[in-house]
């Protein structure tokens, strides 16, 4: 399978704990994105990497959130001191480097469903 | 203001019939792209179809077509000959030319149910 892979698929944690998710993009894609999807809503942009550089962060990404892509391949998203409001599906996507500004097709993974108790 | 509005929380269609899912958008950027994604219960967002703001013709991809009405800021998805496997959430999304690469704005989605 050469699609975007996310682990774990599900994570249940207690409030105040730290969690980390991993995303493996399609191998030739140098752009990687994190989105968050809460119940009944469409996905919302969190952050974007071009290779290892984090180029954009949404205001949704509070100081408790940190994302890395150390070697320009896989990425991790860490949430520190989780809160119940962090419960959501966290989606990762990657895109083809040949895309233009408005026709960039994102390939999404199946997401990590986080539940904070 | 919402950049993408999908007014149909749920739609039902009989197998082999056509169905239209509504989407309106709001932007002042003359350059933008419009997308439709399908999200089955497995959670993965699957790209269906794309329409650029400067495209003169409506986009088509197999059974999917996009009814693009620029003056009305409307980008409805038409699925012809519905199949049971089409049952899923459908999201309309937009990217603006002046925005961050890959920063899609999504609507709330429409849950499509295809019945036999």
């Amino acid at each position: 399978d050469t699609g975007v892979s996310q682990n774990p698929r599900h994570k249940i944690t207690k409030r105040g704990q730290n969690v980390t998710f991993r995303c493996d993009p399609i191998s030739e894609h140098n752009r990687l994105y994190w989105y968050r999807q809460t119940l009944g809503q469409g996905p919302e942009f969190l952050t974007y990497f071009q290779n290892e550089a984090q180029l954009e962060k949404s205001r949704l990404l509070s100081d408790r959130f940190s994302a890395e892509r150390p070697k320009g391949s896989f990425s991790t998203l860490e949430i520190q001191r989780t809160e119940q409001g962090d419960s959501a599906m966290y989606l990762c996507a990657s895109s083809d480097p040949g895309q233009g500004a408005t026709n960039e097709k994102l390939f999404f993974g199946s997401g990590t469903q986080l539940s904070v108790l | 203001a919402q950049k993408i509005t999908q007014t149909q929380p749920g739609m039902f269609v009989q197998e082999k019939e056509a169905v239209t899912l509504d989407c309106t958008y709001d932007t002042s950027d003359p350059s933008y792209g419009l997308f439709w994604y399908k999200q089955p219960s497995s959670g993965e967002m699957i790209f269906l179809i794309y329409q650029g703001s400067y495209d003169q013709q409506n986009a088509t991809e197999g059974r999917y077509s996009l009814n693009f009405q620029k003056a009305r800021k409307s980008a409805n998805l038409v699925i012809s000959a519905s199949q049971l496997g089409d049952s899923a959430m459908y999201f309309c999304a937009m990217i603006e030319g002046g925005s961050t690469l890959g920063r899609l704005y999504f609507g709330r989605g429409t849950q499509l149910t295809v019945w036999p």
Side-chain angles (χ1 to χ4, degrees):
Chain A
D1 184 17
T2 57
V4 178
S5 176
Q6 291 189 247
N7 289 289
R9 287 297 313 275
H10 304 274
K11 179 71 177 178
I12 300 173
T13 191
K14 292 183 179 179
R15 188 177 52 182
Q17 298 293 307
N18 299 344
V19 294
T20 300
F21 312 139
R22 177 178 170 124
C23 171
D24 288 90
I26 293 171
S27 58
E28 62 268 27
H29 288 181
N30 66 353
R31 295 177 187 159
L32 185 147
Y33 308 86
W34 286 98
Y35 279 76
R36 183 177 73 182
Q37 185 178 16
T38 53
L39 198 62
Q41 303 291 325
E44 296 172 291
F45 171 86
L46 291 179
T47 190
Y48 152 57
F49 288 86
Q50 175 122 356
N51 298 312
E52 65 275 10
Q54 187 173 17
L55 298 184
E56 182 82 9
K57 289 168 60 172
S58 161
R59 280 173 291 181
L60 293 174
L61 217 63
S62 75
D63 291 344
R64 297 183 298 104
F65 288 70
S66 63
E68 294 183 343
R69 196 182 181 197
K71 297 182 181 178
S73 57
F74 73 92
S75 175
T76 58
L77 177 68
E78 181 183 16
I79 309 174
Q80 296 182 327
R81 304 181 304 281
T82 52
E83 301 173 356
Q84 288 184 325
D86 297 332
S87 295
M89 172 82 85
Y90 290 84
L91 292 162
C92 176
S94 66
S95 67
D96 187 329
Q99 302 289 322
T102 60
N103 65 353
E104 185 156 354
K105 185 168 70 176
L106 270 60
F107 294 84
F108 284 85
S110 296
T112 294
Q113 181 66 52
L114 173 66
S115 298
V116 182
L117 305 179
Chain B
Q2 290 281 339
K3 287 190 179 286
I4 295 289
T5 301
Q6 294 181 254
T7 57
Q8 305 156 316
M11 288 287 286
F12 294 84
V13 65
Q14 190 170 22
E15 198 177 10
K16 300 180 185 176
E17 297 294 311
V19 62
T20 298
L21 306 183
D22 294 342
C23 172
T24 56
Y25 59 92
D26 183 25
T27 182
S28 57
D29 196 323
S31 176
Y32 53 89
L34 297 159
F35 301 78
W36 278 91
Y37 280 85
K38 171 184 178 181
Q39 188 177 43
S41 56
S42 60
E44 181 182 358
M45 299 284 286
I46 301 167
F47 167 81
L48 295 178
I49 196 166
Y50 163 82
Q51 179 86 41
S53 59
Y54 297 117
D55 293 343
Q56 296 296 313
Q57 303 220 346
N58 287 343
T60 60
E61 293 276 355
R63 295 186 298 111
Y64 305 107
S65 60
L66 200 151
N67 185 0
F68 181 45
Q69 297 187 46
K70 196 170 182 176
R72 297 180 60 185
K73 294 190 174 179
S74 164
N76 298 340
L77 176 70
V78 180
I79 305 175
S80 63
S82 298
Q83 301 171 357
L84 295 177
D86 293 335
S87 293
M89 280 292 285
Y90 287 80
F91 290 95
C92 180
M94 176 178 66
I95 186 167
E96 296 171 310
S99 182
T100 302
L101 284 171
R103 184 168 190 155
L104 287 167
Y105 295 93
F106 285 86
R108 291 190 171 190
T110 296
Q111 178 69 50
L112 176 66
T113 302
V114 181
W115 51 284

